[in-house]
Amino acid sequence: MPFLPEIFAMQQVQIGGSELRASRLAYGCWRIIAGGKAIEVTPDREQAARKSIMTAFDAGYTLFDHADIYSDGLGEWVFGRLLRDNKTLRDKIVLASKCGIRKADDPTPSAPYRYDFSAEHIIQSCEDSLKRLQTDRIDLYQLHRPDFLAQPEEVAQAFTKLKEQGKVREFGLSNALPSFFSLIQKSCPFKLIVNQVEISLSKLDFFRNGTMEHCMMEGITPLAWSPLAAGRLCFPGAIDLNEPGHAKRIQLRDAIDLVARERNVSRAVIAIAWLLRHPSGVVPIIGSTDPANIKDVVKATNLKLTREEWYSLMEGSVGERLP
C-alpha cells in the first residue's frame, strides 16, 4: 500500500450541512502576524508566518480562519502572498474570513469602535478581503460580533449579492446568541452554517445559554475560538497565586493533568479532545504559531474521552460538584 501524505491523516467533516468539507481542527490566522499596519512585515516575520501556515497544512488542517481586523488586514495580506506563490494550495483548503467590527477613527477621527452590519460595509469588507487574500472567492464568510443596529433584511441583501456574484460560497455568524442567529437567519434565503463562539474548559457560557443546543437543532457547526483559553489551559509555568481566580485555575489544571497522564498526552490535547467529544460537532480553531504545538494537538482528533473523563474535566472547570 502506498504511503499516504500526512495531509490526509486528519478526519474531514461536513460544515453545517453544506457542501464544504474541512479538517476536524481549523487553523486560526489571528497571530501569524502580530501588530497592525504600523508594524513592518519584515522578510523574517513573513517567513515565520508562512512556516506556521504550512506546518498546519502539512499536519492536515484545511480550514483557515481569518478576519479583516486581524493585524489590520495583514494576516490576510500575508496569507494571500502565500497563495500567490503556491498556486495549487487554494483549491485544497477552505478559506474563511469575517467582517463587521470597525475600529475607532474609521473613517474619521471622531468615529468610535463599533459594529457595522450595513450592506455597504459587508460588501466592501468582502471585496477588500478578497484583494488581500488574492483569491476570487471566500468559502465561508462570517459577521464578527452582533451589531445592535443590524437590519436582518439588509444583511440578507448583502449576503445574497455576494453569493450570486460567486464571491462567497457559504455564510455564518460569530459570537451570536441563538436569538440573534435566528433573527438574521429568518431573512436569509439560504442556511447560515456556522456560529463561531468562544468555548473552552475556561469558558462555559455557550454551554449554558442554549447556543450548543441551537446548533444541534439547526445543523449549525460551532467553531470554537480560543479553545485553549489563549494558551492558559496548557501554560507550562506555575500559576500566579496573586492572580484573581488562581485557586480555580489550579483545580482545573489538576483535573486536566490527571486525564493527560492517564492518556499519555499533553494538556492541550486533552482540552481539545474535551471539545471534540461534544455531540454538536465543535471545530476548535487552533491559533498557536509554534509548529510543535500545531502538530501536537492533532492527536486530539484520534482521542475520544469517556463520559466520566469529560465530566471530571467539567467539574474541574466549574470548581465544584455538578448539581
Side-chain angles (χ1 to χ4, degrees):
M1 182 176 178
F3 173 76
L4 294 178
E6 192 175 4
I7 184 174
F8 295 114
M10 200 189 301
Q11 177 190 5
Q12 300 285 298
V13 294
Q14 187 178 23
I15 305 299
S18 72
E19 294 183 356
L20 296 181
R21 291 190 64 82
S23 51
R24 195 67 181 86
L25 303 179
Y27 186 70
C29 298
W30 181 15
R31 295 186 178 89
I32 57 172
I33 291 289
K37 293 178 181 178
I39 305 297
E40 181 182 1
V41 181
T42 64
D44 286 347
R45 294 181 71 222
E46 183 171 359
Q47 186 57 37
R50 289 187 176 213
K51 182 178 180 180
S52 298
I53 296 164
M54 292 310 300
T55 295
F57 179 72
D58 291 339
Y61 296 73
T62 60
L63 174 53
F64 290 84
D65 180 69
H66 292 269
D68 57 355
I69 65 165
Y70 292 169
S71 299
D72 285 336
L74 286 180
E76 291 181 330
W77 181 80
V78 167
F79 201 94
R81 285 164 61 87
L82 175 63
L83 292 179
R84 178 199 65 188
D85 297 339
N86 295 266
K87 301 297 186 183
T88 63
L89 183 60
R90 178 64 188 90
D91 291 333
K92 297 176 181 177
I93 64 172
V94 173
L95 193 55
S97 196
K98 301 181 287 295
C99 76
I101 296 178
R102 301 191 70 171
K103 293 186 176 181
D105 303 325
D106 171 26
T108 62
S110 61
Y113 186 97
R114 65 205 185 279
Y115 311 129
D116 189 345
F117 285 6
S118 64
E120 179 183 9
H121 183 69
I122 293 170
I123 292 169
Q124 186 60 56
S125 297
C126 184
E127 297 281 5
D128 292 342
S129 287
L130 287 168
K131 290 176 183 176
R132 288 190 293 266
L133 289 165
Q134 298 199 38
T135 185
D136 62 348
R137 70 195 185 282
I138 292 172
D139 298 305
L140 175 59
Y141 203 48
Q142 303 148 84
L143 300 183
H144 209 151
R145 286 190 178 274
D147 175 10
F148 303 112
L149 300 180
Q151 294 283 353
E153 298 82 3
E154 191 172 1
V155 172
Q157 173 192 342
F159 282 2
T160 301
K161 181 176 182 178
L162 291 170
K163 193 175 185 71
E164 289 177 346
Q165 292 176 337
K167 294 176 180 178
V168 176
R169 293 179 64 187
E170 302 288 350
F171 295 88
L173 301 181
S174 182
N175 301 296
L177 293 174
S179 55
F180 186 82
F181 197 105
S182 298
L183 177 67
I184 300 299
Q185 179 64 84
K186 187 175 182 180
S187 292
C188 285
F190 41 80
K191 182 182 176 185
L192 304 177
I193 66 170
V194 303
N195 190 5
Q196 184 174 148
V197 292
E198 184 181 6
I199 326 171
S200 74
L201 275 166
S202 288
K203 186 73 171 178
L204 302 179
D205 301 40
F206 286 98
F207 283 102
R208 295 167 170 149
N209 60 23
T211 295
M212 308 308 282
E213 293 86 349
H214 177 251
C215 286
M216 292 176 70
M217 286 190 297
E218 301 299 332
I220 300 160
T221 295
L223 302 180
W225 64 268
S226 200
L228 296 173
R232 291 189 299 275
L233 291 176
C234 54
F235 179 65
I239 294 175
D240 186 353
L241 299 183
N242 293 314
E243 180 182 321
H246 68 270
K248 188 173 181 179
R249 284 191 62 196
I250 291 172
Q251 181 168 333
L252 176 55
R253 174 182 283 193
D254 288 345
I256 295 173
D257 281 345
L258 179 61
V259 180
R261 284 193 298 269
E262 292 175 347
R263 292 290 193 144
N264 194 31
V265 293
S266 67
R267 290 171 182 155
V269 169
I270 294 301
I272 296 301
W274 187 80
L275 289 172
L276 295 179
R277 181 67 169 80
H278 194 269
S280 62
V282 177
V283 174
I285 301 173
I286 307 303
S288 175
T289 57
D290 184 325
N293 294 338
I294 292 170
K295 291 184 283 188
D296 177 55
V297 293
V298 175
K299 298 173 186 174
T301 63
N302 293 313
L303 191 162
K304 184 176 181 179
L305 297 178
T306 66
R307 183 179 294 266
E308 291 72 26
E309 288 171 325
W310 196 90
Y311 273 105
S312 71
L313 291 165
M314 174 168 260
E315 184 177 81
S317 174
V318 173
E320 59 187 16
R321 200 200 75 174
L322 297 180

